[in-house]
Amino acid sequence: MAIKLPVLDKNGQGVGEQELPSSIFERPVNVGLMHQAYVRQMANARLGTHATKTRGQVDRSKAKWYRQKGTDRARHGSRNAPIFVGGGVAHGPKPRSYKKDMPKKMRQEAIRSALSAKAANDGIVLVDSLELDTPKTRDMADILYNLVGDASALILLAENNENVQRSVRNLPDARYLRANYLNIRDLLKYDKVIIPLNALDVITEWLGNSRSE
């Protein structure tokens, strides 16, 4: 049975009804695939620029620290040894890439799976349009409260909308995102996904070519 959701206006009042594409919002929820996509995204966000110096890279005196015999201390030839404060680091991290690969079709199916999970748990909110005459955080906060109450929200936009984007930036529990940049991390992070109808068209064009099972 197709999922039909009410379409709301900015005041939270119903103005119609919209059927969600079954090829996107009624997919089997594959937790393993979503986890794989999430781990990949977080790994690829790591810079991998961490580095420590070995004993050969530490800039300290190369002179023998103290004489070999007669001190009742262990024999040491360099202060650069890892056992000394200020010395090098043994087996420390070096710059590396954390990049993980994942086929495009698998990434897209993970997003479909997450959207299906949201739809099944009342996490999708459809609005007829989302426009503001001027950027104002207070007005956007009122709109979000009308739509989702106190829940955190991911707002999808079909195209660049400066007034909406600037109004959302200072809200701690909301984030805007272009619909064609939809990703698994943001889908899982927020309680509700607010989708204007023009953004739904973008998602349908992007993800709607999957073969239904």
Side-chain angles (χ1 to χ4, degrees):
M1 182 178 180
I3 299 177
K4 288 187 177 181
L5 294 181
V7 179
L8 309 179
D9 60 15
K10 294 189 293 186
N11 297 317
Q13 302 299 316
V15 295
E17 195 173 56
Q18 177 69 37
E19 182 176 322
L20 297 178
S22 59
S23 61
I24 301 175
F25 293 90
E26 295 182 59
R27 304 293 292 173
V29 178
N30 190 328
V31 177
L33 187 63
M34 289 191 294
H35 178 265
Q36 182 179 348
Y38 180 84
V39 170
R40 170 195 169 272
Q41 184 175 349
M42 298 304 292
N44 290 355
R46 298 182 67 175
L47 295 178
T49 54
H50 41 46
T52 56
K53 291 184 178 182
T54 65
R55 63 184 295 167
Q57 296 170 316
V58 174
D59 187 17
R60 304 186 79 183
S61 172
K62 298 299 188 290
K64 187 170 174 64
W65 194 354
Y66 50 81
R67 61 196 177 97
Q68 179 86 345
K69 297 180 179 295
T71 63
D72 291 330
R73 300 178 66 181
R75 295 172 292 182
H76 289 293
S78 173
R79 293 194 181 198
N80 297 345
I83 63 174
F84 298 122
V85 174
V89 176
H91 311 296
K94 291 297 180 183
R96 54 162 290 193
S97 172
Y98 287 91
K99 181 177 176 60
K100 292 180 179 292
D101 292 326
M102 187 175 182
K104 179 180 178 180
K105 289 185 177 180
M106 291 179 65
R107 300 198 305 267
Q108 291 181 342
E109 187 60 27
I111 293 175
R112 294 187 191 99
S113 186
L115 286 171
S116 298
K118 288 289 186 184
N121 292 280
D122 300 322
I124 303 293
V125 178
L126 298 181
V127 294
D128 56 351
S129 65
L130 199 58
E131 300 288 342
L132 289 175
D133 295 330
T134 58
K136 196 166 185 179
T137 302
R138 178 58 184 271
D139 290 346
M140 180 55 65
D142 291 340
I143 291 173
L144 293 183
Y145 185 80
N146 292 335
L147 295 175
V148 300
D150 294 324
S152 61
L154 175 65
I155 303 166
L156 301 184
L157 301 175
E159 56 190 11
N160 187 57
N161 189 324
E162 192 66 23
N163 289 342
V164 171
Q165 292 170 191
R166 292 176 62 185
S167 300
V168 173
R169 283 174 187 164
N170 290 329
L171 297 174
D173 294 324
R175 171 180 168 82
Y176 69 85
L177 191 69
R178 290 281 291 274
N180 53 345
Y181 291 122
L182 188 59
N183 60 84
I184 193 72
R185 179 190 63 185
D186 289 323
L187 273 175
L188 298 179
K189 181 177 179 180
Y190 294 91
D191 299 326
K192 304 286 186 178
V193 181
I194 298 176
I195 309 178
L197 293 182
N198 57 355
L200 181 62
D201 292 337
V202 174
I203 295 173
T204 302
E205 182 178 355
W206 174 36
L207 298 173
N209 296 324
S210 173
R211 178 179 59 84
S212 298
E213 293 182 356

